[in-house]
Amino acid sequence: MSFLENIYLAGVIGEGGAGFPTHIKYASSPKYLLINGAECEPLLYTDKFQMENYYKEMLAAIQAAKIFLKAERAVLATKKRYEDLIGLFTQEIKDKNYDIEIFSMENFYPAGDEQITIYEAFQKAVPAGGIPLHVDIVVSNIATMKSIYDAQNGIPVTDKYLTVTGEVKEPKVVKVPVGTPLSEVIEKAGGSTLDEYMILTGGPMMGKFVTQEEAEDVVVRKTTGGILIVPKHHALVQRGTKSLTAIKNETRAACIQCSFCTQYCPRYLIGHPLHPHKIMRAFGIHDVYDERFAEALLCCECGICELFACPMNISPRIVNVFLKQELRKNGIRMSFETGPVQPERENRYVPVDRLLSRLDIRKYYDLGKPSYLEIETDQVRIPLGQYIGKPAVPCVKVGDFVEKGTLIGDLPMTDHGSRVHASISGRVTAVDDAVTIVRERRENA
């Protein structure tokens, strides 16, 4: 099998964001390969843990990917404060004579955002509304490279590393089968210090809220990066769970058009015509969501506008998420003209230390380095669509016995999607938009 076929067969997707199928992304001929090892969200330690423990495998995969893509340069971008890690990378590159460069960034947010990392490493701005390939770059998350390494050795994606932190007895990085309920992950990781809490999956800035009750049914996906537990009445929860009606009323009453949301917007600062303060003004006035709101399509949903910049505690990010859905629903697509990078950009970095304090989550950072734990489970519910693209088609039926790593969801290599594999050995008990497997020891196994 070829390098690309192995990636497809193993069901590898991008592990740093929306889950773009890697075999589709790598079916191109970029000039540059950029590996993102900066871990954008505060409090997450997942990528750093994997880099510390699997840097040799990751570098081998980067070198192989560079050769396959025929890229002129392969650049691994990480944070300057990871000095020990950079030393390990540098020595391994030297020992193996790899053609890989290391680029280090300051500890600001959103260092690790795909387009911001591109600008930092290459001084190239991705065109507004565009993708990295438009500037001849393919980007992969560093954790994806470990999965690519495994894929070349016939090992499919069945487990996920994620950070469990916040209101927990001890923060942990866990390795857990894909399809495990969040409630079980929290329990087996030691549990929460609170009787009642809210869960953020992903991180404090861009994570999705999950209630304790929902955590019984919400499962770990290939793209899950973290579980952050916070009090039910934490400011993050109060801000992030407001209704659109409440936000519209607050916008009408409180938005002072200070433009801080725009001035700190990382997309605006690299020349994209995105002006959140103008969008908020229009949102407060109009109830029809048409072309006048098109700039919202450029929002990367980083949350700086509402969680750091806005002095009035209103929510441009939530509004932009809503508007993007409405615009796409109405079939509104726009082309945008990219302007010059704003000269004040480097003075608008958001320091992570200040962000932690602003979000009132500094105490979770001070808990220190997470310990490591491997979690086993007796039942998983593995979604057949857990990435950007078409869901896989089930290729097992109720009653089938499957081993860990068995293909349970398939689709052609040319389709925009990813194969799905069993994350535990056991009996298939349900097949719908997911495959449920209950652990079972096979007779004479």
Side-chain angles (χ1 to χ4, degrees):
M1 295 291 178
S2 71
F3 179 84
L4 195 64
E5 287 173 325
N6 287 333
I7 291 173
Y8 155 72
L9 292 172
V12 179
I13 64 173
E15 297 186 31
F20 197 94
T22 303
H23 71 280
I24 299 293
K25 180 181 288 188
Y26 280 22
S28 57
S29 301
K31 192 173 183 179
Y32 308 112
L33 171 63
L34 175 63
I35 307 302
N36 190 344
E39 200 144 41
C40 188
E41 282 272 15
L43 299 181
L44 297 193
Y45 194 83
T46 312
D47 288 354
K48 189 170 189 291
F49 172 84
Q50 291 190 79
M51 287 189 283
E52 290 171 340
N53 290 275
Y54 302 112
Y55 66 92
K56 292 184 178 181
E57 293 88 342
M58 290 170 169
L59 288 171
I62 295 169
Q63 180 70 14
K66 178 182 183 295
I67 293 170
F68 171 78
L69 293 169
K70 298 182 175 62
E72 292 182 11
R73 295 170 60 196
V75 178
L76 169 55
T78 190
K79 292 186 176 178
K80 190 178 293 183
R81 68 189 183 96
Y82 295 167
E83 293 180 7
D84 292 346
L85 192 53
I86 291 171
L88 293 174
F89 280 135
T90 302
Q91 188 61 52
E92 180 71 5
I93 289 170
K94 181 179 178 182
D95 291 346
K96 296 294 176 62
N97 197 30
Y98 290 148
D99 186 16
I100 302 171
E101 305 167 36
I102 305 292
F103 177 80
S104 57
M105 298 184 287
E106 299 296 337
N107 189 32
F108 68 90
Y109 182 81
D113 170 86
E114 180 177 80
Q115 295 196 21
I116 301 308
T117 305
I118 287 173
Y119 188 80
E120 292 289 322
F122 293 97
Q123 295 296 292
K124 291 176 177 284
V126 175
I131 60 174
L133 204 54
H134 292 153
V135 288
D136 233 356
I137 298 172
V138 157
V139 184
S140 281
N141 177 265
I142 188 66
T144 308
M145 304 316 293
K146 171 61 167 57
S147 295
I148 289 175
Y149 177 87
D150 289 342
Q152 304 312 311
N153 293 281
I155 302 171
V157 179
T158 58
D159 297 287
K160 182 64 181 176
Y161 291 87
L162 61 152
T163 305
V164 182
T165 190
E167 293 291 344
V168 294
K169 294 173 183 176
E170 181 187 357
K172 286 184 171 64
V173 169
V174 300
K175 180 183 179 183
V176 59
V178 171
T180 304
L182 299 187
S183 57
E184 186 175 347
V185 176
I186 294 168
E187 178 187 353
K188 291 186 174 179
S192 174
T193 58
L194 304 174
D195 292 329
E196 296 185 338
Y197 53 81
M198 184 71 82
I199 302 163
L200 270 165
T201 59
M205 297 297 288
M206 294 183 281
K208 308 299 182 185
F209 287 99
V210 177
T211 67
Q212 282 177 264
E213 295 73 24
E214 291 169 337
E216 300 286 338
D217 299 315
V218 177
V219 300
V220 173
R221 295 168 172 257
K222 294 181 183 182
T223 54
T224 306
I227 295 174
L228 171 61
I229 297 174
V230 295
K232 287 184 71 173
H233 302 295
H234 192 279
L236 282 172
V237 179
Q238 293 178 345
R239 177 75 69 87
T241 56
K242 287 180 184 177
S243 70
L244 260 296
T245 299
I247 293 173
K248 183 179 280 287
N249 290 335
E250 289 176 350
T251 300
R252 287 171 173 163
C255 182
I256 57 176
Q257 287 293 290
C258 64
S259 80
F260 288 171
C261 54
T262 296
Q263 292 177 43
Y264 277 94
C265 173
R267 289 290 189 267
Y268 166 78
L269 290 170
I270 62 171
H272 292 191
L274 174 57
H275 305 84
H277 73 288
K278 294 181 180 179
I279 293 174
M280 295 304 285
R281 180 173 58 195
F283 179 72
I285 297 171
H286 302 288
D287 294 317
V288 176
Y289 307 113
D290 51 22
E291 287 83 356
R292 80 190 88 195
F293 294 97
E295 286 185 4
L297 295 169
L298 301 175
C299 176
C300 65
E301 302 176 26
C302 71
I304 285 177
C305 53
E306 66 188 28
L307 295 174
F308 185 83
C310 182
M312 306 304 291
N313 291 322
I314 53 179
S315 304
R317 180 184 71 94
I318 294 175
V319 169
N320 282 344
V321 171
F322 166 75
L323 291 173
K324 287 198 284 187
Q325 294 170 346
E326 291 298 302
L327 292 167
R328 288 166 181 157
K329 187 192 306 180
N330 295 330
I332 296 174
R333 297 182 179 182
M334 301 285 288
S335 58
F336 302 94
E337 185 174 341
T338 306
V341 173
Q342 298 297 322
E344 67 273 19
R345 178 180 178 273
E346 292 187 7
N347 297 321
R348 299 279 167 80
Y349 286 157
V350 175
V352 172
D353 282 347
R354 281 187 62 195
L355 188 60
L356 291 169
S357 298
R358 182 72 65 88
L359 300 178
D360 191 23
I361 55 174
R362 175 78 201 204
K363 63 180 180 179
Y364 305 139
Y365 178 82
D366 292 338
L367 292 173
K369 183 176 180 178
S371 59
Y372 175 64
L373 177 68
E374 292 190 13
I375 291 177
E376 294 186 351
T377 184
D378 291 328
Q379 180 171 319
V380 292
R381 177 174 166 80
I382 306 172
L384 291 166
Q386 47 185 307
Y387 40 76
I388 287 181
K390 293 175 62 175
V393 177
C395 53
V396 291
K397 62 183 184 299
V398 173
D400 286 351
F401 182 90
V402 294
E403 298 283 357
K404 179 174 181 176
T406 299
L407 182 69
I408 60 173
D410 199 7
L411 77 177
M413 187 172 177
T414 53
D415 278 1
H416 192 125
S418 175
R419 298 173 112 214
V420 181
H421 300 79
S423 58
I424 64 172
S425 298
R427 190 74 58 181
V428 176
T429 60
V431 178
D432 39 57
D433 60 346
V435 174
T436 301
I437 304 169
V438 175
R439 186 180 297 279
E440 180 182 315
R441 187 178 296 277
R442 196 170 197 175
E443 295 295 329
N444 302 320

